[in-house]
C-alpha cells in the first residue's frame, strides 16, 4: 500500500454498527477521535487515552479494542461496533442495558459505554458467564462511581436471562416501566 | 494526548515492511497490535517519522508447531495464542502466564511478538521466553537471524534488534516429556504490570527459574534438582543477585521476598505438574 503522508488527510471507510461510514483522517488520528469528531458518534467516551481506563472500548471485526489505541486508518474496511449499536431499536434497550438500568449499574455514565461493550462481548461468547468471568472482564475498566457491585449484579442478571432464553438478545423486550 | 505526526504505511508483506525499515531505520516503528506502541505515541514518548503497520500481513499471523517449537508470528495476537488448540499441554507456561498479560480487552489486539519487542522488564512474555529458553527470529532486507532470549533481551525496554530488523516470529520450545511448568505473579491489581513475575520449568534433573520485574530485564537461573533448605538458599542468593531497588511500586525488600516466595511456589507447582 502507498505510504500515507503525515499531513495529508485520506479517506477512511468502514462499517459502523451496520452502516457504511466514511471520513477524512490524518494518519495520527485516533479511532476514538474519528468516531467522536468526524462521524459524530459520541457514545464512545475518552478518559485516559493510553489504554488504561476502558471508557473508549469498542469492537473491531468482532473483537474488543481500545479505540484510543487504534488509528482511524487502521480500521479501513473493518466492521466497527460501538455502544450506539447495542440497543435493538430506538425505544428499546438490550437485555444487558435493561439490567444496567434495573440494578443502577451507572451513575455518571462516563465508563458505561466501554463496560457495556466488554460485557456484551462476554455474554455473546459465554452466555452463562459466572461472577468470576464477569469480574475478570470488568477488570479492564475503571469506574469511579459505582464501586462495581451493581455492574456485576446487572451482568449476572443479564447472563441469567440470556442463558434461560438465548434468543432474548434479539427479541423485542417490553420496558420495565420503572423509569 | 495525541500522537505527533507520522507517515503511515500498511505493509502487505514482511519484505515490504523490511524495505521500509531499511529506508528509515530508527525513524520508523513497527505497528502490530499497538497496545504498547500507541500509548507511547499518545504520550509522545515515541515520535517516529513512519509507522509500518504489519497487522494485516496474513503470513505473519500464523501460530504453528515445527521442530519441537511453537512458532508465533509477529502479527499473532495474545488472545489467539491463549485460545490456540492444545496450548495447555504443549506450552503450559504460556497458558498459565497469558491471562496475566494486560486485560482481555488488550489481549484481543496486543501481539506476542510486540510484547517481546517492547521488552518491559516486568512483562510476562519475555520472562516466559527466557524461562523456556526460546528464541526470536529477526528479519531484514540484509539477512535472517535467530537470537536466543537472553541475547535478544538486552536491557530496560531494549533489545538486540537492529533498526532495520523486523521481529518476524517468536519460538517457544514445546513442553518435553517429564517437564513441569508454572507461573506466579504479584501485582497491585490483576492486569497491571507485575511487581514480580516468576516462571519455573522443572524436570527430573534440573530447575530453571526466570524472574521478571526486578532487574532491568528478566533473569534466569539453572539449578540441579534442589530440595528444602538448599533450594531456599539458592532462591535467596538469586533474590539478592537481582539487585532489587526501591521504587514507587514496591521496596527492594518486598521484591526480594516475592522472588523467594513466588519462586518457590512456581517451582513446587511445576513439580506437581510433572507427575
Ligand atoms: S480512553 Fe481508551 S482506555 Fe482510557
Ligand atoms: S458510572 Fe461514573 S465512572 Fe462509572
Amino acid at each position: 500500500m502507498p505510504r500515507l503522508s503525515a499531513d495529508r488527510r485520506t479517506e477512511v471507510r468502514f462499517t459502523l454498527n451496520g452502516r457504511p461510514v466514511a471520513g477524512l483522517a490524518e494518519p495520527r488520528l485516533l479511532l476514538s477521535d474519528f468516531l467522536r469528531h468526524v462521524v459524530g458518534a459520541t457514545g464512545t467516551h475518552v478518559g485516559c487515552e493510553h489504554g488504561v481506563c476502558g471508557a473508549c472500548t469498542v469492537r473491531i471485526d468482532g473483537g474488543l479494542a481500545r479505540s484510543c489505541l487504534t488509528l482511524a486508518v487502521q480500521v479501513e474496511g473493518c466492521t466497527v461496533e460501538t455502544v450506539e449499536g447495542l440497543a435493538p431499536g430506538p425505544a428499546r434497550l438490550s437485555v444487558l442495558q435493561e439490567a444496567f438500568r434495573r440494578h443502577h449499574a451507572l451513575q455518571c455514565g462516563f465508563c458505561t459505554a466501554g463496560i457495556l461493550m466488554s460485557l456484551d462481548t462476554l455474554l455473546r461468547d459465554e452466555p452463562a458467564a459466572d461472577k468470576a468471568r464477569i469480574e475478570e472482564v470488568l477488570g479492564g475498566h475503571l469506574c469511579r462511581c459505582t464501586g462495581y457491585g451493581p455492574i456485576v449484579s446487572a451482568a449476572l442478571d443479564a447472563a441469567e436471562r440470556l442463558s434461560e432464553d438465548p434468543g432474548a438478545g434479539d427479541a423485542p423486550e417490553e420496558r420495565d416501566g420503572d423509569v | 494526548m495525541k500522537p505527533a505526526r507520522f507517515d503511515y504505511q500498511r505493509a502487505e508483506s514482511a519484505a515490504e515492511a523490511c524495505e521500509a525499515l531499511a529506508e528509515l531505520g530508527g525513524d520508523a516503528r513497527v505497528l502490530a497490535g499497538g497496545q504498547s506502541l500507541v500509548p507511547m505515541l499518545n504520550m509522545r514518548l515515541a515520535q517516529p517519522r513512519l509507522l509500518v503497520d504489519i497487522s494485516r500481513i496474513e503470513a505473519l499471523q500464523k501460530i504453528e508447531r515445527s521442530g519441537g517449537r511453537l512458532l508465533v508470528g509477529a502479527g499473532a495476537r495474545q488472545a489467539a495464542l491463549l485460545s490456540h488448540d492444545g496450548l495447555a499441554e504443549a506450552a503450559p507456561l504460556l497458558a498459565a502466564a497469558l491471562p496475566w498479560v494486560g486485560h482481555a480487552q488488550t489481549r484481543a489486539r496486543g501481539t506476542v511478538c510486540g510484547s517481546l519487542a517492547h521488552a518491559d522488564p516486568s512483562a510476562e512474555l519475555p520472562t516466559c521466553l527466557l524461562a523456556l529458553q526460546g528464541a526470536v527470529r529477526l528479519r531484514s532486507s540484509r539477512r535472517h537471524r535467530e537470537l536466543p532470549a537472553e541475547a535478544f533481551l538486552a536491557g530496560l525496554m531494549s533489545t538486540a534488534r537492529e533498526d532495520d530488523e523486523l521481529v518476524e516470529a517468536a519460538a517457544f520450545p514445546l513442553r518435553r516429556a517429564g517437564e513441569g511448568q508454572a507461573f506466579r505473579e504479584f501485582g497491585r491489581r490483576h492486569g497491571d504490570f507485575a511487581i514480580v513475575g516468576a516462571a519455573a520449568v522443572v524436570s527430573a534433573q534440573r530447575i530453571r527459574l526466570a524472574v521478571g520485574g526486578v532487574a532491568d530485564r528478566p533473569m534466569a537461573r539453572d539449578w540441579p534438582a534442589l530440595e528444602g533448605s538448599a533450594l531456599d538458599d539458592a532462591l535467596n542468593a538469586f533474590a539478592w543477585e537481582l539487585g532489587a531497588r526501591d521504587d514507587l511500586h514496591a521496596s527492594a525488600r518486598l521484591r526480594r521476598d516475592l522472588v523467594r516466595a513466588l519462586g518457590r511456589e512456581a517451582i513446587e507447582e511445576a513439580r506437581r505438574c510433572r507427575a
Side-chain angles (χ1 to χ4, degrees):
Chain A
M1 169 193 149
R3 197 169 287 178
L4 303 180
S5 152
D7 327 290
R8 288 255 327 262
R9 296 193 294 166
T10 38
E11 178 146 82
V12 176
R13 296 163 183 277
F14 57 93
T15 303
L16 177 63
N17 300 322
R19 293 213 190 83
V21 292
L24 294 174
E26 289 177 8
R28 66 172 177 147
L29 188 68
L30 300 173
L31 176 60
S32 44
D33 288 336
F34 187 89
L35 289 171
R36 293 177 55 84
H37 303 310
V38 180
V39 180
T42 53
T44 299
H45 291 173
V46 173
C48 66
E49 276 187 337
H50 63 284
V52 173
C53 73
C56 69
T57 304
V58 300
R59 266 199 300 257
I60 300 173
D61 290 340
L64 288 171
R66 306 290 208 215
S67 60
C68 75
L69 298 187
T70 310
L71 304 173
V73 290
Q74 282 185 281
V75 300
E76 169 73 31
C78 295
T79 298
V80 178
E81 293 163 275
T82 62
V83 69
E84 288 96 338
L86 291 183
R92 295 207 312 268
L93 295 176
S94 72
V95 172
L96 180 66
Q97 287 171 316
E98 283 285 359
F100 262 58
R101 200 164 71 158
R102 272 194 306 279
H103 290 267
H104 304 286
L106 62 147
Q107 289 176 28
C108 77
F110 200 91
C111 66
T112 312
I115 290 180
L116 284 171
M117 293 312 293
S118 281
L119 292 176
D120 185 80
T121 306
L122 174 68
L123 296 179
R124 176 198 71 187
D125 297 341
E126 303 170 35
D130 62 5
K131 189 163 181 239
R133 286 291 291 139
I134 288 166
E135 285 177 349
E136 203 181 320
V137 168
L138 201 49
H141 293 271
L142 292 176
C143 173
R144 297 291 81 166
C145 301
T146 63
Y148 304 100
I151 301 176
V152 174
S153 308
L156 280 169
D157 184 352
E160 195 174 324
R161 282 164 203 254
L162 288 168
S163 50
E164 271 166 15
D165 175 10
D170 324 311
E173 205 194 45
E174 287 298 313
R175 280 207 172 203
D176 272 351
D178 59 350
V179 184
Chain B
M1 295 196 303
K2 314 291 176 194
R5 284 166 210 283
F6 48 76
D7 294 344
Y8 171 88
Q9 182 172 354
R10 187 185 304 130
E12 266 147 36
S13 66
E16 184 191 330
C18 288
E19 272 166 41
L21 293 176
E23 183 192 333
L24 275 123
D27 287 334
R29 293 295 293 264
V30 175
L31 174 65
Q35 303 302 290
S36 303
L37 178 59
V38 182
M40 290 179 58
L41 295 174
N42 288 1
M43 291 188 263
R44 302 204 177 186
L45 295 171
Q47 301 197 17
R49 270 175 54 204
L50 171 69
L51 280 197
V52 183
D53 184 353
I54 60 163
S55 64
R56 298 216 190 171
I57 304 174
E58 259 178 54
L60 291 182
Q61 281 162 17
K62 279 193 218 134
I63 300 176
E64 57 190 359
R65 295 182 201 185
S66 134
R69 306 196 297 179
L70 186 65
L71 298 178
V72 182
R77 307 206 189 266
Q78 293 151 10
L81 180 57
L82 188 53
S83 60
H84 180 70
D85 234 8
L87 186 74
E89 293 79 47
L93 181 63
L94 294 175
L98 276 164
W100 291 91
V101 179
H103 302 282
Q105 295 85 351
T106 58
R107 289 194 296 271
R109 301 285 292 175
T111 61
V112 173
C113 289
S115 171
L116 297 173
H118 187 59
D120 189 294
S122 54
E124 294 81 4
L125 289 167
T127 304
C128 290
L129 189 76
L130 184 66
L132 294 169
Q133 296 179 283
V136 169
R137 289 188 174 180
L138 296 159
R139 166 182 181 159
S140 70
S141 308
R142 296 174 291 132
R143 61 175 173 182
H144 292 246
R145 61 177 180 146
E146 188 173 301
L147 285 178
E150 56 272 21
F152 177 73
L153 300 166
L156 186 73
M157 328 275 278
S158 82
T159 68
R161 183 184 79 85
E162 307 261 350
D163 286 340
D164 66 343
E165 283 179 316
L166 173 72
V167 172
E168 196 179 25
F172 296 94
L174 298 174
R175 187 177 76 92
R176 285 166 281 256
E179 192 175 80
Q181 307 180 354
F183 184 80
R184 282 285 186 282
E185 175 165 320
F186 179 81
R188 287 278 162 207
R189 290 167 306 182
H190 191 111
D192 283 7
F193 276 112
I195 288 177
V196 172
V201 178
V202 171
S203 66
Q205 301 82 28
R206 68 173 204 133
I207 299 171
R208 182 173 170 84
L209 180 72
V211 166
V214 187
D216 67 345
R217 70 195 89 171
M219 302 290 269
R221 287 289 180 276
D222 291 281
W223 298 303
L226 302 175
E227 303 274 352
S229 63
L231 179 56
D232 287 337
D233 292 346
L235 283 165
N236 186 44
F238 186 23
W240 282 95
E241 283 156 21
L242 288 170
R245 293 207 210 146
D246 295 329
D247 68 15
L248 270 179
H249 307 289
S251 65
R253 190 173 163 190
L254 173 61
R255 286 203 161 86
R256 285 191 294 273
D257 269 343
L258 287 168
V259 172
R260 289 183 288 255
L262 299 180
R264 188 167 250 286
E265 279 182 28
I267 290 166
E268 278 169 5
E269 189 189 327
R271 279 191 170 141
R272 283 195 297 277
C273 298
R274 244 168 53 68

